[in-house]
Amino acid sequence: MGQCVTKCKNPSSTLGSKNGDRDPGSKSHSKRSAGPRDDHSPAGGKSAGDILVNGTKKAEAATESGRLPTSSGEAGKEPGQSAQESSGQRMEELFRRYKDEREDAILEEGMERFCNDLCVDPTEFKVLVLAWKFQAATMCKFTRKEFFEGCRAISADSIDGICARFPSLLNEAKQEDRFKDLYRFTFQFGLDSEEGQRSLHREIAIALWKLVFTQNSPPILDQWLNFLSENPSGVKGISRDTWNMFLNFTQVIGPDLSNYSEDEAWPSLFDTFVEWETERRKREEETKWITPSDTDGPSPEEHT
């Protein structure tokens, strides 16, 4: 869906990739990515049972003491604490599978592989919802903090776990209050924070509006986007106020625009849109009732 998913100016970009040239059909599961080795694995390839404890194999020593080692290999830990640490380890391994070699974050290339393993196209609404739950500050990037806190927020620490959460995340995004939060997040997500942007480029705003309204498109959306594409008012960017107020506009103003009033505190761009759309509909209606001209020839009755 083009620019809807990147901070770049390249119209062919995607949320998971600035290049946008990934073949959506080349999907694979996370099992094809081996992931990094565990730095804590015993040296020499020995199993945990081969590690000696005071000259005795660890498993044997534990048996002699009358209790078996915990799943983490360390005795005396609380079960809840052990499970939490195991989940943290899985998140660490998952993060390191996609993180950049030079920066402690998942960047463009890693995001492409991440989306590929999730079996989603980087331009899908699902990816925007995931970025929302991760509270990502920048397109094409998950910092370590965003990734770990996001995984905890959706209670998932694996590719399969994240995939299993998508249905409930999509349902959550349909709730009115949650969608409003997602909608406002989308504006901030589209800004280039490194450049200090305060408004969205018109083309990016159009693409993001298409994306964020994937599940519930308001009746007036197509006309609004056509208006912005034809750009009769010469608008170059969309401000935060205009973005936020458009959601109110879709909820308050009917599809026929009859209850719109310029006296209310709408952005001036909305005044221009309503005037433009009203004139367009009037011309369309007039075209339907144009009578045939004389040059079309006489009617059949005139030959009798």
Side-chain angles (χ1 to χ4, degrees):
M1 196 170 289
Q3 286 194 342
C4 58
V5 286
T6 184
K7 64 181 181 179
C8 308
K9 312 301 186 294
N10 183 355
S12 64
S13 304
T14 63
L15 180 138
S17 166
K18 296 174 185 174
N19 298 324
D21 55 0
R22 192 76 179 182
D23 182 4
S26 60
K27 298 176 180 178
S28 65
H29 196 269
S30 61
K31 290 182 179 179
R32 72 176 186 85
S33 300
R37 288 179 58 87
D38 188 351
D39 294 337
H40 301 292
S41 59
K46 294 182 180 180
S47 66
D50 291 330
I51 302 175
L52 297 180
V53 180
N54 296 326
T56 307
K57 286 185 178 181
K58 190 171 186 179
E60 295 173 357
T63 303
E64 292 174 1
S65 66
R67 58 183 175 81
L68 295 175
T70 62
S71 60
S72 63
E74 297 179 12
K77 287 191 175 181
E78 294 293 333
Q81 181 181 4
S82 177
Q84 191 174 26
E85 289 181 357
S86 296
S87 180
Q89 272 190 339
R90 287 191 292 271
M91 283 189 283
E92 177 66 32
E93 291 170 1
L94 189 63
F95 178 75
R96 286 192 296 175
R97 185 184 303 173
Y98 306 108
K99 75 178 285 295
D100 187 70
E101 294 180 356
R102 299 178 181 83
E103 187 174 343
D104 195 31
I106 299 174
L107 303 182
E108 178 187 350
E109 185 177 336
M111 287 293 292
E112 286 189 17
R113 290 187 283 111
F114 183 48
C115 290
N116 188 51
D117 287 348
L118 288 171
C119 295
V120 296
D121 189 283
T123 65
E124 282 188 56
F125 180 66
K126 289 179 181 178
V127 181
L128 176 64
V129 172
L130 192 63
W132 167 55
K133 297 303 291 185
F134 282 24
Q135 286 298 292
T138 307
M139 287 185 178
C140 308
K141 180 178 181 179
F142 284 151
T143 66
R144 172 180 287 272
K145 181 180 179 182
E146 290 168 351
F147 187 84
F148 276 69
E149 291 185 355
C151 284
R152 293 190 188 101
I154 64 174
S155 301
D157 54 22
S158 66
I159 290 294
D160 287 343
I162 295 173
C163 288
R165 293 288 290 142
F166 276 137
S168 62
L169 294 179
L170 295 180
N171 284 332
E172 180 182 349
K174 292 179 181 179
Q175 301 171 19
E176 184 175 351
D177 59 331
R178 303 304 292 145
F179 177 75
K180 184 176 181 180
D181 188 68
L182 168 63
Y183 181 83
R184 296 197 171 196
F185 163 84
T186 302
F187 178 87
Q188 185 63 39
F189 188 57
L191 296 177
D192 189 334
S193 56
E194 295 178 359
E195 292 186 4
Q197 278 186 340
R198 301 183 67 179
S199 62
L200 291 174
H201 290 295
R202 178 171 56 92
E203 295 83 1
I204 294 179
I206 290 173
L208 285 174
W209 261 313
K210 289 180 181 178
L211 185 64
V212 76
F213 283 117
T214 295
Q215 294 193 128
N216 187 18
S217 179
I220 202 64
L221 180 64
D222 287 342
Q223 287 76 22
W224 169 251
L225 298 182
N226 288 338
F227 163 73
L228 291 178
S229 296
E230 294 194 21
N231 200 19
S233 59
V235 60
K236 294 181 179 180
I238 300 297
S239 68
R240 186 185 301 272
D241 181 58
T242 299
W243 176 274
N244 290 341
M245 291 295 286
F246 181 72
L247 181 59
N248 296 340
F249 181 88
T250 63
Q251 295 169 339
V252 173
I253 305 302
D256 62 357
L257 305 176
S258 60
N259 61 333
Y260 181 83
S261 173
E262 294 183 4
D263 296 332
E264 297 182 19
W266 296 109
S268 59
L269 186 62
F270 291 8
D271 296 341
T272 307
F273 162 65
V274 171
E275 181 180 348
W276 177 86
E277 177 62 14
T278 302
E279 288 297 321
R280 186 196 67 79
R281 293 181 183 185
K282 186 182 297 184
R283 290 193 303 271
E284 190 177 77
E285 192 67 24
E286 289 174 351
T287 303
K288 294 179 181 179
W289 295 100
I290 293 179
T291 55
S293 63
D294 295 337
T295 57
D296 291 337
S299 64
E301 291 78 7
E302 294 176 3
H303 290 287
T304 59

